[in-house]
Amino acid sequence: MFSYANLDLSSPEFKKNAHEIYKQLRQNEPLLEIAMPDGQRAWLSTRYDDAIQILKDDERFTKNLQSLSPEDYSAIMPHKEMDLISKQMLSSDPPDHARLRSIVSKAFSPQMIEDMQNEIQRITDDLIDRIQEKGSMEIIADFAFPLPIIVISQMLGIPENDHYLVKKWSSDFIESANNRDKLKEAFPSIQAFGRYIDELITERRKHPGSDLISMLIQAHDNRDRLTAEELSSTIWLLIVAGHETTVNLIGNGLLALLENPDQLRLWRSDPALAQPGIEELLRYYSPVEIATSRWARHDFTWHGKNVRKSDLIFVGLAAANRDPDQFENPDRLDITRKKNKHMAFGNGIHFCLGAPLARLEGKIALSTLLRRLPNLRIDTTSEELKWRSGILMRGLERFPVTF
Ligand code: HEM
């Protein structure tokens, strides 16, 4: 039988063929051992029910590398930089997780986000005004990237001039995540990001505002519910989680619709379909291909495989989202799909905090693009579309269109 042991989950080639490979894995090898380039022992899980089990199981799996293996934690990078990327909710287990999440969760309630509708619409229209006369654009750079970074930066109070710096630092991290060698290479970028966040905190302490960073500083200074490391790390997480993912929802979502003209016509014919439509786009080309890593807390046997303490577990969210045991005709894009409990935002205690914001941004972005640019099509004269490298995400490198 063909061996998948050397699959490089981070390569654009894997992303291109991923759904074919997932289909075979779900049937034949639902827990696949992967050889990681940095030598870590790792597993890829591809079934829907298994994904739910892993994401809900805090007994067998941990998100906190420092508690599991302090030596590994210290060996990757100096503590200051390791703390920056890991003293936040997504890398924490109970009970710290609930404390860290509750401090920010009020700012992401569905009502607070709904109140941002007009502002997101204004930013979207403004971006389209800038390119409408041109007749062509590169969706990622001209539209999908600026929209979410402007929105999250407004929430956090990050100056517009700094958006491109923040983008570079976030991308450097995302591309290196889960590979210790690459993480070491990304060290200067992580260090610069940390210094920038320190400066933001100092500045906002002098001039507090109504933004999220000022609110987090208050939580640290007044009630002492957040350590200094957790404060910086939480700001870091909100910046990174808040834009790369949504860029991919907009890019991948538009691609799926342009590849499926019947669904595109349907979306345009009935604005109410944007609601189930965005859920289907999240399922079909999931922006987060693989949930962030978990480590096994101890040895156990599963699907006949011996998982050992400290092994890395990749939860294939994109694979789970095409599991035929859960979704009828999983490879078909159907924006009217009724039963759609997709896993694009994860599951369990780490379920995406920004989901209401991401859904709203995705809906406004795609509906406005399709309404204002009726002749939108993929620019076939340009280069072939290519998926970006990196394990965690699915997103296009460049996406040229004409209209
Ligand atoms: C389409 C866009 C998005 C997708 C697909 C997405 C997906 C996810 C997923 C899969 C997780 C869980 C990861 C895991 O369990 O390992 C997660 C967590 C998280 N997301 Fe999102 N996300 C999106 C947008 C956002 C936005 C706009 C924000 C806002 C800042 C955000 C903030 C977070 C946070 C803070 C967590 C950690 C939650 C916790 O640990 O309790 N996300 N996201």
Side-chain angles (χ1 to χ4, degrees):
M1 196 173 95
F2 178 72
S3 161
Y4 292 105
N6 292 320
L7 273 188
D8 178 1
L9 302 184
S10 68
S11 68
E13 292 70 37
F14 170 73
K15 293 267 155 61
K16 194 170 162 195
N17 303 312
H19 285 292
E20 237 353 274
I21 298 170
Y22 292 150
K23 196 179 282 179
Q24 299 180 34
L25 289 177
R26 275 190 307 263
Q27 279 171 14
N28 305 323
E29 217 161 338
L31 189 65
L32 175 78
E33 185 170 355
I34 305 275
M36 294 293 285
D38 63 1
Q40 289 185 88
R41 253 171 73 98
W43 303 88
L44 173 67
S45 144
T46 43
R47 286 186 187 163
Y48 184 93
D49 287 346
D50 290 348
I52 302 235
Q53 264 198 54
I54 299 169
L55 296 180
K56 289 196 159 156
D57 189 341
D58 300 324
E59 290 297 312
R60 270 193 304 177
F61 304 102
T62 176
K63 302 271 305 168
N64 184 341
L65 178 64
Q66 196 175 20
S67 72
L68 181 73
S69 174
E71 322 76 52
D72 279 356
Y73 188 88
S74 305
I76 299 174
M77 272 186 294
H79 260 239
K80 186 162 169 42
E81 282 68 33
M82 277 309 281
D83 286 355
L84 178 73
I85 63 174
S86 46
K87 294 280 175 193
Q88 34 75 10
M89 65 188 102
L90 189 52
S91 301
S92 305
D93 294 329
D96 284 336
H97 171 264
R99 176 178 53 84
L100 292 169
R101 183 164 169 131
S102 73
I103 292 168
V104 237
S105 61
K106 280 179 235 89
F108 286 90
S109 72
Q111 189 53 53
M112 292 281 284
I113 298 305
E114 206 51 42
D115 292 346
M116 293 173 63
Q117 181 149 357
N118 291 343
E119 186 55 11
I120 297 175
Q121 185 67 60
R122 189 194 63 71
I123 299 167
T124 306
D125 279 320
D126 186 43
L127 287 169
I128 298 178
D129 288 346
R130 288 188 213 172
I131 47 83
Q132 190 151 28
E133 292 303 306
K134 287 195 194 157
S136 67
M137 72 168 145
E138 199 279 277
I139 285 284
I140 306 300
D142 295 335
F143 185 74
F145 162 68
L147 175 59
I149 190 76
I150 294 172
V151 173
I152 193 70
S153 295
Q154 280 193 5
M155 290 176 80
L156 291 161
I158 293 177
E160 202 172 327
N161 281 348
D162 300 342
H163 291 174
Y164 280 84
L165 278 176
V166 166
K167 172 195 187 246
K168 181 180 177 330
W169 293 328
S170 302
S171 302
D172 286 352
F173 169 75
I174 297 248
E175 279 169 24
S176 66
N178 290 308
N179 182 329
R180 291 173 181 186
D181 296 336
K182 288 211 165 137
L183 210 49
K184 282 178 192 161
E185 283 168 29
F187 172 72
S189 169
I190 294 170
Q191 198 179 31
F193 207 165
R195 267 193 269 152
Y196 179 78
I197 290 173
D198 286 347
E199 283 164 21
L200 270 181
I201 295 173
T202 311
E203 191 275 327
R204 213 52 56 76
R205 213 174 238 129
K206 281 195 212 136
H207 309 289
S210 55
D211 56 279
L212 248 170
I213 294 185
S214 300
M215 186 196 95
L216 291 169
I217 293 175
Q218 249 188 4
H220 167 63
D221 290 357
N222 299 348
R223 285 167 280 164
D224 207 21
R225 288 161 65 208
L226 202 62
T227 66
E229 291 77 24
E230 289 167 348
L231 171 63
S232 304
S233 189
T234 300
I235 295 170
W236 174 86
L237 172 68
L238 292 175
I239 298 174
V240 175
H243 84 273
E244 280 277 344
T245 46
T246 315
V247 175
N248 296 339
L249 169 58
I250 298 169
N252 301 354
L254 184 65
L255 176 67
L257 287 170
L258 295 179
E259 283 175 340
N260 291 271
D262 60 322
Q263 300 299 301
L264 179 66
R265 264 194 305 278
L266 211 54
W267 183 301
R268 281 194 163 124
S269 70
D270 181 0
L273 287 177
Q275 184 82 35
I278 206 77
E279 300 306 319
E280 178 67 347
L281 297 177
L282 280 157
R283 182 193 72 82
Y284 187 80
Y285 276 149
S286 306
V288 177
E289 181 89 8
I290 286 173
T292 58
S293 41
R294 272 117 180 107
W295 290 275
R297 282 186 196 272
H298 45 76
D299 298 358
F300 59 87
T301 303
W302 200 28
H303 289 298
K305 306 288 171 73
N306 295 323
V307 178
R308 289 205 301 256
K309 185 180 170 190
S310 297
D311 283 359
L312 192 59
I313 315 290
F314 291 120
V315 183
L317 295 181
N321 279 339
R322 299 273 190 115
D323 187 336
D325 287 346
Q326 177 65 22
F327 302 100
E328 214 173 291
N329 274 331
D331 293 326
R332 177 171 150 60
L333 182 77
D334 174 5
I335 63 166
T336 65
R337 192 179 284 276
K338 299 280 176 316
K339 190 172 166 276
N340 191 356
K341 286 189 173 172
H342 67 75
M343 304 261 299
F345 292 118
N347 204 281
I349 61 168
H350 294 285
F351 181 85
C352 177
L353 183 69
L357 177 61
R359 287 180 159 125
L360 186 64
E361 286 183 50
K363 248 186 324 191
I364 293 178
L366 291 170
S367 294
T368 311
L369 266 183
L370 297 179
R371 180 170 44 78
R372 290 194 53 188
L373 306 176
N375 295 319
L376 196 62
R377 51 177 69 93
I378 303 174
D379 182 357
T380 44
T381 60
S382 193
E383 77 270 32
E384 198 192 329
L385 295 178
K386 201 170 132 202
W387 297 107
R388 282 175 56 186
S389 56
I391 293 184
L392 292 185
M393 303 280 175
R394 171 176 290 272
L396 290 167
E397 189 97 43
R398 288 169 39 79
F399 186 1
V401 292
T402 58
F403 44 84

